[in-house]
Amino acid sequence: MCRAAGQESPLKIGSVLREGNGSIREGILVCSNAGCLSEYPVLDGIPILLANLRAYVSQNFLPVLCRDDLTEPMESLLGDCFGPGSAFDSRRQHLSTYVFDHYGDLDPGEGEQSPGPPGSIRRLFQRGFSLAERRAEGPVIDIGCAVGRTSFELAEQVDDIVLGMDLNFGMLKTAATILESGCVCYPKRRGGIVYERRRFPAAFERAEQVDFWVCDATALPFADRTFSAGISLNVLDCVWSPYDCLAEMGRILKPGGSAVLSTPYDWNAGATPVESWLGGHSQRSGHRGSSPDILRSLMSGGGHPNAVDVLELLSVEEVPWTLRLHDRSFMEYLVSVMVIRKKMENGSA
Ligand SMILES: C[S@@+](CC[C@H](N)C(=O)[O-])C[C@H]1O[C@@H](n2cnc3c(N)ncnc32)[C@H](O)[C@@H]1O
């Protein structure tokens, strides 16, 4: 709230309501500005740090209050009652798709013969990270981490704190449960509204350096120059303002800090209003609606009037990314993987 009004006011722990495994499972964070005193909940170990908290909680009552203790037959019966297209069903579908891709490679029951084997996000991450040179020290951010595999992978690569953040409470709850329990449990969609519960261990080195928070990529609750590096994989075309997302990245990175950004430019008016798309419209113009050209023009030296001049584009590669919808349906994307860097304050590279 204070950041939105141009003021930096750190949050402090107001109350600890429930603890477990040395961390706050339920508590309240309070703004230290005596003129503000806004409260932010920590729920299931996940801080929710959004300026418009009331709107978020009321629009997300299902994931926020959703129980995860249902037996598989009861989940199936309720799923049949809620039916396809319900909030209950879309939550299960999202979990099925992203948990399969993030962790399915660790599932001993997963066959090799699948036409779209799991792990495409891990391969994409490894490719991007191998191209980025880390020049600054300090915390690292995973913007739009979903169910969190890339945050665990980052922690194995960098000896520093890794913050995985997303707007989707249900996905972060899965990530936080894996962090706490070292075990993955998710509904894998077979087809229609038929799901099979999968359960398997998933332990990561340096998991204790990882945490998961609800934040908005277009209005991050961090001071300028907080993070030494970042990744944001396949998020830019899912936020309501891709431009604000880039500008926030330029603000929170330390000078010399690098980030790996990837996107399939799969614009969708339900997620991003057309006016905010980077390309994908206005094919009559000089850039012919080309998203890669517009994104390039938004970096230093690219010539866009609103360019985020502190960011430089160092390299671009095209990499496949596959999402599984059900046993017989896979979506294959070609994503641009970009390495960007924040310029040093004297303007040098
Ligand atoms: C296509 S998914 C990609 C997830 C993950 N990075 C991957 O590649 O598997 C996009 C993610 O961005 C998140 N997201 C959308 N808008 C966001 C916002 N404004 N702030 C933070 N996360 C957001 C979604 O909840 C979702 O988890």
Side-chain angles (χ1 to χ4, degrees):
M1 290 281 284
C2 284
R3 275 223 87 263
Q7 204 174 341
E8 295 290 349
S9 323
L11 300 180
K12 55 185 188 191
I13 297 171
S15 43
V16 177
L17 304 171
R18 202 153 52 87
E19 282 182 279
N21 282 349
S23 70
I24 301 175
R25 309 299 310 152
E26 217 175 282
I28 299 176
L29 303 172
V30 182
C31 180
S32 56
N33 173 2
C36 173
L37 298 179
S38 289
E39 295 177 302
Y40 302 90
V42 179
L43 205 59
D44 298 321
I46 304 167
I48 304 182
L49 302 181
L50 299 170
N52 201 344
L53 180 67
R54 280 202 312 142
Y56 180 83
V57 171
S58 56
Q59 286 159 14
N60 287 275
F61 70 92
L62 181 69
V64 165
L65 296 181
C66 196
R67 45 196 292 183
D68 47 19
D69 59 338
L70 294 174
T71 59
E72 194 176 358
M74 185 53 66
E75 184 181 308
S76 148
L77 190 155
L78 294 181
D80 286 351
C81 294
F82 285 119
S86 61
F88 184 87
D89 192 51
S90 33
R91 181 171 176 272
R92 286 203 294 177
Q93 274 192 43
H94 274 114
L95 285 177
S96 170
T97 295
Y98 287 99
V99 180
F100 173 83
D101 188 42
H102 283 223
Y103 299 100
D105 59 314
L106 305 174
D107 183 349
E110 208 56 72
E112 288 292 308
Q113 65 278 52
S114 158
S120 73
I121 191 61
R122 188 161 166 258
R123 292 187 285 277
L124 197 161
F125 164 79
Q126 284 169 340
R127 184 66 199 137
F129 200 79
S130 71
L131 300 169
E133 188 194 339
R134 189 149 178 255
R135 288 192 180 174
E137 299 282 306
V140 178
I141 189 166
D142 184 353
I143 299 174
C145 67
V147 290
R149 176 67 181 269
T150 44
S151 306
F152 291 122
E153 293 288 322
L154 263 174
E156 290 186 2
Q157 302 288 336
V158 298
D159 196 4
D160 237 311
I161 290 171
V162 175
L163 180 69
M165 48 88 22
D166 202 286
L167 211 48
N168 186 311
F169 189 82
M171 298 241 234
L172 287 184
K173 198 165 159 186
T174 299
T177 304
I178 295 167
L179 172 64
E180 209 201 333
S181 67
C183 180
V184 178
C185 178
Y186 82 106
K188 181 179 170 188
R189 187 172 174 220
R190 312 286 355 194
I193 47 174
V194 173
Y195 290 79
E196 172 195 351
R197 190 169 288 182
R198 308 286 315 165
R199 195 189 296 271
F200 50 92
F204 298 99
E205 274 174 46
R206 305 210 180 117
E208 70 286 352
Q209 292 174 195
V210 178
D211 208 5
F212 296 105
W213 297 6
V214 174
C215 310
D216 179 357
T218 64
L220 291 167
F222 306 108
D224 300 355
R225 298 181 288 277
T226 296
F227 294 94
S228 66
I231 61 172
S232 183
L233 305 181
N234 314 323
V235 175
L236 206 63
D237 56 355
C238 298
V239 297
W240 43 78
S241 173
Y243 175 80
D244 285 340
C245 188
L246 271 185
E248 279 295 81
M249 234 182 252
R251 184 182 70 75
I252 56 141
L253 280 176
K254 295 184 181 196
S258 53
V260 178
L261 192 66
S262 72
T263 175
Y265 302 111
D266 190 22
W267 303 112
N268 161 10
T272 315
V274 179
E275 312 77 68
S276 299
W277 294 5
L278 307 180
H281 65 87
S282 304
Q283 64 193 72
R284 312 159 300 288
S285 60
H287 51 69
R288 296 184 307 281
S290 158
S291 294
D293 287 354
I294 298 206
L295 188 53
R296 205 171 294 120
S297 78
L298 276 171
M299 307 275 179
S300 169
H304 195 289
N306 297 326
V308 184
D309 266 327
V310 291
L311 293 180
E312 288 183 294
L313 179 60
L314 302 184
S315 66
V316 185
E317 262 193 31
E318 303 299 323
V319 174
W321 176 49
T322 311
L323 290 179
R324 177 188 178 283
L325 300 183
H326 57 72
D327 281 351
R328 294 169 183 274
S329 173
F330 295 81
M331 220 160 23
E332 176 107 57
Y333 288 102
L334 192 59
V335 303
S336 290
V337 178
M338 289 158 268
V339 177
I340 59 180
R341 186 157 61 220
K342 180 164 175 176
K343 288 202 264 183
M344 299 305 285
E345 297 205 316
N346 60 12
S348 65

